[in-house]
Amino acid sequence: MSIGKEINRLQDLMPASGRMLCRIVSKPQQSKTITTFSPLPWQSKNRIIYINFDLWKRLSLPQRDLLLLYTVAFLVKVKLVKFDVYQGVALATLLGFSVELIQQNIVGTALFGSFLFIAGNKIWKQNLIVEKELNADEEAIKIALTRGYSTIEAKEALLNAIESLPALESRQTFSVTELLRIKNLKKLKI
């Protein structure tokens, strides 16, 4: 398998929103087959997907397709800059923190700093919960339907890919998230 040809094929497989936001990079030294990191707020258009192509080529074509579609669906759904209660609280506490810092008020700075940390932590966790991963599984299957897969084929390919990852990556067990995804996919009716 030529890495360049596979990257081009995978980019063609991605939905348009994924092509605009995500970039695929070969990373042969990583122990996982495919990894990505939740983007930081300033990384709105450069979300990198790292693939170990030595492990990647051991998966079947449908498994590779569905793993990539899942990863893209997950990355596209992460939106750190959206206006809701927590963003409003974070903005207000950032303003208060700045004012207290300029005035050199230690108590006010500590108070607003702790509120800012709590609001920022809540925003971060909202984008990393397991529910987003389960939704990304469903979205990947829906995207696969537009790429010529049937619902059953897409669901089975994703399920088989998740189930084969521990052996492929020389791990003894599934992660908690993988177990939840497998359970959800088995009872999923699309």
Side-chain angles (χ1 to χ4, degrees):
M1 167 191 339
S2 166
I3 293 174
K5 286 182 181 178
E6 180 68 0
I7 289 174
N8 288 337
R9 187 187 74 77
L10 294 173
Q11 287 174 333
D12 287 342
L13 181 70
M14 285 187 210
S17 57
R19 283 185 214 125
M20 293 183 334
L21 294 175
C22 303
R23 190 167 52 106
I24 299 171
V25 174
S26 174
K27 192 172 183 184
Q29 66 273 21
Q30 74 182 13
S31 61
K32 294 191 174 260
T33 306
I34 185 168
T35 58
T36 189
F37 301 100
S38 287
L40 298 170
W42 55 87
Q43 293 176 321
S44 62
K45 293 200 178 194
N46 194 14
R47 300 176 184 189
I48 299 175
I49 300 170
Y50 297 104
I51 298 177
N52 179 337
F53 284 99
D54 293 332
L55 299 175
W56 186 254
K57 67 183 176 186
R58 295 181 193 168
L59 295 168
S60 70
L61 184 66
Q63 290 174 340
R64 294 192 307 241
D65 289 352
L66 268 294
L67 271 180
L68 179 80
L69 291 176
Y70 156 77
T71 305
V72 170
F74 179 76
L75 285 175
V76 168
K77 294 289 182 188
V78 174
K79 294 186 181 2
L80 293 175
V81 182
K82 61 181 179 187
F83 295 105
D84 65 3
V85 174
Y86 293 108
Q87 270 78 12
V89 170
L91 189 60
T93 55
L94 178 63
L95 181 63
F97 177 78
S98 301
V99 168
E100 295 297 327
L101 191 62
I102 290 169
Q103 293 178 353
Q104 298 179 346
N105 180 352
I106 294 172
V107 175
T109 302
L111 182 67
F112 277 107
S114 62
F115 286 144
L116 181 61
F117 176 78
I118 292 168
N121 193 24
K122 183 66 177 177
I123 293 167
W124 191 259
K125 284 184 178 180
Q126 279 180 333
N127 285 293
L128 297 178
I129 56 176
V130 174
E131 186 176 311
K132 290 211 182 272
E133 295 198 27
L134 300 179
N135 290 339
D137 283 336
E138 293 177 26
E139 186 65 26
I141 292 170
K142 289 177 185 173
I143 296 168
L145 295 177
T146 65
R147 302 297 189 258
Y149 287 94
S150 71
T151 305
I152 295 171
E153 287 173 331
K155 181 178 160 183
E156 288 299 317
L158 185 56
L159 188 59
N160 292 335
I162 295 168
E163 289 175 341
S164 66
L165 286 178
L168 194 64
E169 297 170 354
S170 300
R171 292 186 280 136
Q172 296 297 321
T173 60
F174 293 106
S175 69
V176 173
T177 305
E178 287 171 336
L179 287 172
L180 290 171
R181 289 176 62 203
I182 289 168
K183 180 182 175 185
N184 188 59
L185 280 170
K186 285 183 177 178
K187 67 178 185 178
L188 185 67
K189 293 179 174 54
I190 295 182

Tab-separated table of all heavy atoms in Angstrom, residues 86-110:
chain	number	residue	atom	x	y	z
A	86	TYR	N	-21.868	28.471	29.600
A	86	TYR	CA	-20.497	28.312	30.074
A	86	TYR	C	-19.529	29.255	29.362
A	86	TYR	O	-18.597	29.766	29.973
A	86	TYR	CB	-20.037	26.861	29.949
A	86	TYR	CG	-20.798	25.965	30.884
A	86	TYR	CD1	-21.734	25.072	30.405
A	86	TYR	CD2	-20.610	26.046	32.257
A	86	TYR	CE1	-22.448	24.259	31.263
A	86	TYR	CE2	-21.324	25.247	33.126
A	86	TYR	CZ	-22.235	24.350	32.628
A	86	TYR	OH	-22.948	23.562	33.488
A	87	GLN	N	-19.758	29.494	28.072
A	87	GLN	CA	-18.906	30.451	27.371
A	87	GLN	C	-19.135	31.858	27.923
A	87	GLN	O	-18.197	32.632	28.057
A	87	GLN	CB	-19.174	30.426	25.864
A	87	GLN	CG	-18.330	29.453	25.100
A	87	GLN	CD	-18.804	28.031	25.227
A	87	GLN	OE1	-19.887	27.764	25.710
A	87	GLN	NE2	-17.990	27.103	24.803
A	88	GLY	N	-20.387	32.193	28.246
A	88	GLY	CA	-20.680	33.489	28.841
A	88	GLY	C	-20.028	33.659	30.206
A	88	GLY	O	-19.452	34.707	30.505
A	89	VAL	N	-20.114	32.607	31.021
A	89	VAL	CA	-19.477	32.644	32.344
A	89	VAL	C	-17.967	32.760	32.192
A	89	VAL	O	-17.316	33.541	32.897
A	89	VAL	CB	-19.858	31.386	33.165
A	89	VAL	CG1	-19.017	31.279	34.421
A	89	VAL	CG2	-21.331	31.414	33.517
A	90	ALA	N	-17.388	32.011	31.268
A	90	ALA	CA	-15.944	32.067	31.053
A	90	ALA	C	-15.514	33.455	30.599
A	90	ALA	O	-14.507	33.985	31.080
A	90	ALA	CB	-15.515	31.023	30.032
A	91	LEU	N	-16.286	34.060	29.710
A	91	LEU	CA	-15.955	35.401	29.233
A	91	LEU	C	-16.059	36.427	30.355
A	91	LEU	O	-15.175	37.276	30.522
A	91	LEU	CB	-16.873	35.772	28.064
A	91	LEU	CG	-16.529	37.047	27.311
A	91	LEU	CD1	-15.138	36.955	26.709
A	91	LEU	CD2	-17.548	37.285	26.211
A	92	ALA	N	-17.132	36.343	31.152
A	92	ALA	CA	-17.307	37.278	32.263
A	92	ALA	C	-16.211	37.111	33.319
A	92	ALA	O	-15.674	38.101	33.837
A	92	ALA	CB	-18.681	37.088	32.902
A	93	THR	N	-15.866	35.872	33.636
A	93	THR	CA	-14.824	35.661	34.641
A	93	THR	C	-13.447	36.051	34.106
A	93	THR	O	-12.602	36.505	34.871
A	93	THR	CB	-14.795	34.200	35.139
A	93	THR	OG1	-14.660	33.324	34.033
A	93	THR	CG2	-16.045	33.865	35.917
A	94	LEU	N	-13.230	35.900	32.795
A	94	LEU	CA	-11.970	36.355	32.219
A	94	LEU	C	-11.847	37.869	32.347
A	94	LEU	O	-10.784	38.387	32.692
A	94	LEU	CB	-11.871	35.939	30.752
A	94	LEU	CG	-10.618	36.378	30.003
A	94	LEU	CD1	-9.377	35.741	30.631
A	94	LEU	CD2	-10.712	35.989	28.536
A	95	LEU	N	-12.941	38.569	32.106
A	95	LEU	CA	-12.946	40.020	32.263
A	95	LEU	C	-12.693	40.402	33.721
A	95	LEU	O	-11.856	41.268	34.011
A	95	LEU	CB	-14.282	40.603	31.781
A	95	LEU	CG	-14.431	42.118	31.861
A	95	LEU	CD1	-13.423	42.795	30.951
A	95	LEU	CD2	-15.845	42.526	31.491
A	96	GLY	N	-13.395	39.744	34.644
A	96	GLY	CA	-13.196	40.015	36.068
A	96	GLY	C	-11.790	39.664	36.520
A	96	GLY	O	-11.166	40.405	37.291
A	97	PHE	N	-11.261	38.561	36.034
A	97	PHE	CA	-9.899	38.152	36.364
A	97	PHE	C	-8.899	39.204	35.891
A	97	PHE	O	-7.971	39.575	36.626
A	97	PHE	CB	-9.603	36.794	35.713
A	97	PHE	CG	-8.218	36.291	35.927
A	97	PHE	CD1	-7.859	35.722	37.139
A	97	PHE	CD2	-7.261	36.370	34.916
A	97	PHE	CE1	-6.580	35.239	37.343
A	97	PHE	CE2	-5.985	35.892	35.112
A	97	PHE	CZ	-5.632	35.324	36.323
A	98	SER	N	-9.101	39.705	34.673
A	98	SER	CA	-8.198	40.721	34.120
A	98	SER	C	-8.234	41.998	34.947
A	98	SER	O	-7.187	42.587	35.258
A	98	SER	CB	-8.572	41.037	32.671
A	98	SER	OG	-8.509	39.888	31.888
A	99	VAL	N	-9.434	42.442	35.324
A	99	VAL	CA	-9.576	43.668	36.123
A	99	VAL	C	-8.897	43.501	37.483
A	99	VAL	O	-8.148	44.372	37.938
A	99	VAL	CB	-11.071	44.045	36.286
A	99	VAL	CG1	-11.261	45.133	37.332
A	99	VAL	CG2	-11.653	44.472	34.949
A	100	GLU	N	-9.144	42.381	38.136
A	100	GLU	CA	-8.554	42.125	39.454
A	100	GLU	C	-7.039	41.983	39.364
A	100	GLU	O	-6.315	42.402	40.263
A	100	GLU	CB	-9.161	40.872	40.094
A	100	GLU	CG	-10.637	40.986	40.409
A	100	GLU	CD	-10.969	42.066	41.427
A	100	GLU	OE1	-10.150	42.314	42.334
A	100	GLU	OE2	-12.051	42.665	41.305
A	101	LEU	N	-6.555	41.429	38.270
A	101	LEU	CA	-5.113	41.287	38.082
A	101	LEU	C	-4.459	42.652	37.890
A	101	LEU	O	-3.397	42.927	38.454
A	101	LEU	CB	-4.843	40.380	36.879
A	101	LEU	CG	-3.412	39.902	36.663
A	101	LEU	CD1	-2.965	39.053	37.850
A	101	LEU	CD2	-3.308	39.093	35.386
A	102	ILE	N	-5.107	43.508	37.108
A	102	ILE	CA	-4.584	44.863	36.888
A	102	ILE	C	-4.579	45.650	38.193
A	102	ILE	O	-3.639	46.390	38.488
A	102	ILE	CB	-5.411	45.595	35.801
A	102	ILE	CG1	-5.128	44.959	34.438
A	102	ILE	CG2	-5.096	47.080	35.764
A	102	ILE	CD1	-6.055	45.406	33.328
A	103	GLN	N	-5.623	45.467	39.005
A	103	GLN	CA	-5.714	46.171	40.290
A	103	GLN	C	-4.845	45.516	41.365
A	103	GLN	O	-4.777	46.010	42.473
A	103	GLN	CB	-7.163	46.224	40.766
A	103	GLN	CG	-8.052	47.067	39.898
A	103	GLN	CD	-9.494	47.067	40.370
A	103	GLN	OE1	-9.869	46.339	41.273
A	103	GLN	NE2	-10.299	47.922	39.742
A	104	GLN	N	-4.238	44.399	41.054
A	104	GLN	CA	-3.372	43.648	41.955
A	104	GLN	C	-4.089	43.227	43.236
A	104	GLN	O	-3.533	43.239	44.323
A	104	GLN	CB	-2.104	44.439	42.271
A	104	GLN	CG	-1.270	44.701	41.038
A	104	GLN	CD	-0.029	45.513	41.329
A	104	GLN	OE1	0.112	46.109	42.385
A	104	GLN	NE2	0.868	45.541	40.368
A	105	ASN	N	-5.356	42.837	43.082
A	105	ASN	CA	-6.152	42.332	44.194
A	105	ASN	C	-5.990	40.810	44.207
A	105	ASN	O	-6.541	40.111	43.374
A	105	ASN	CB	-7.621	42.729	44.006
A	105	ASN	CG	-8.500	42.240	45.131
A	105	ASN	OD1	-8.083	41.473	45.993
A	105	ASN	ND2	-9.741	42.706	45.128
A	106	ILE	N	-5.258	40.305	45.183
A	106	ILE	CA	-4.932	38.885	45.226
A	106	ILE	C	-6.172	38.032	45.440
A	106	ILE	O	-6.361	37.014	44.775
A	106	ILE	CB	-3.886	38.612	46.334
A	106	ILE	CG1	-2.580	39.294	45.953
A	106	ILE	CG2	-3.659	37.120	46.516
A	106	ILE	CD1	-1.535	39.258	47.038
A	107	VAL	N	-7.049	38.438	46.337
A	107	VAL	CA	-8.249	37.656	46.635
A	107	VAL	C	-9.175	37.625	45.417
A	107	VAL	O	-9.678	36.570	45.031
A	107	VAL	CB	-8.987	38.215	47.879
A	107	VAL	CG1	-10.297	37.487	48.107
A	107	VAL	CG2	-8.104	38.127	49.115
A	108	GLY	N	-9.397	38.765	44.816
A	108	GLY	CA	-10.256	38.833	43.628
A	108	GLY	C	-9.668	38.057	42.464
A	108	GLY	O	-10.388	37.366	41.726
A	109	THR	N	-8.355	38.159	42.289
A	109	THR	CA	-7.689	37.422	41.223
A	109	THR	C	-7.834	35.919	41.431
A	109	THR	O	-8.147	35.173	40.493
A	109	THR	CB	-6.190	37.798	41.161
A	109	THR	OG1	-6.074	39.205	40.967
A	109	THR	CG2	-5.491	37.075	40.022
A	110	ALA	N	-7.629	35.464	42.665
A	110	ALA	CA	-7.768	34.032	42.967
A	110	ALA	C	-9.207	33.577	42.763
A	110	ALA	O	-9.449	32.490	42.211
A	110	ALA	CB	-7.309	33.752	44.395
